[in-house]
Amino acid sequence: MRFLCSELYKQKLVPKDYVNLVLERESITPTSFGNLVAIPHPMVPVTKETFWTVCTLKNPIHWHEQQMVQFVCLLNIKEDTQTDLDGMYKKLISIIENRSVVQKIIKSKSVDELIELLK
């Protein structure tokens, strides 16, 4: 989490305290969903755009000692958004509920391959 948030901050995509916002949300209820997937996000939308930050791990890790996670999708939602996000949520759910797709994402060897799997 710290690594992803730090990289986003370096790219000026999130505020400096972003990691604290994400960790605060995570402390309330872990965002692991089973199927080796976690979808962390801050308590409130604070980014200028809505986007996903994706990370795959070589080996699964314990996510708050509850579930194993190997695919992390940090969800960044635009502040003051009036946009309907149902389509994005449906897409994300269709990915995380599909064991085959998650395994392909974890095993992907390039950014282009990963992007194709997420489409």
Side-chain angles (χ1 to χ4, degrees):
M1 298 289 282
R2 293 185 191 283
F3 170 76
L4 291 178
C5 293
S6 172
E7 291 301 307
L8 292 174
Y9 178 69
K10 287 179 195 174
Q11 295 176 42
K12 298 182 168 97
L13 295 170
V14 299
K16 188 171 187 169
D17 66 340
Y18 197 66
V19 69
N20 296 330
L21 299 172
V22 174
L23 293 174
E24 176 187 2
R25 164 60 183 88
E26 201 65 36
S27 71
I28 294 170
T29 303
T31 56
S32 52
F33 286 89
N35 197 22
L36 299 173
V37 177
I39 306 176
H41 54 279
M43 291 288 291
V44 295
V46 296
T47 56
K48 300 290 182 215
E49 298 297 328
T50 297
F51 61 97
W52 298 349
T53 306
V54 176
C55 177
T56 59
L57 307 170
K58 288 183 181 179
N59 298 302
I61 60 170
H62 286 279
W63 196 266
H64 296 274
E65 299 182 22
Q66 293 187 5
Q67 296 187 23
M68 298 301 285
V69 168
Q70 198 169 357
F71 170 49
V72 179
C73 181
L74 177 57
L75 189 54
N76 311 280
I77 305 294
K78 179 180 177 180
E79 63 184 327
D80 299 323
T81 189
Q82 303 300 318
T83 307
D84 182 14
L85 300 173
D86 284 348
M88 182 201 60
Y89 289 130
K90 285 177 185 175
K91 177 64 176 174
L92 190 54
I93 290 168
S94 73
I95 291 168
I96 66 173
E97 289 182 341
N98 187 321
R99 185 171 302 281
S100 174
V101 171
V102 170
Q103 286 301 312
K104 288 176 184 175
I105 288 170
I106 291 168
K107 293 175 181 172
S108 63
K109 301 290 185 210
S110 69
V111 172
D112 290 339
E113 184 180 350
L114 181 65
I115 290 170
E116 277 303 309
L117 290 166
L118 294 174
K119 284 186 177 178

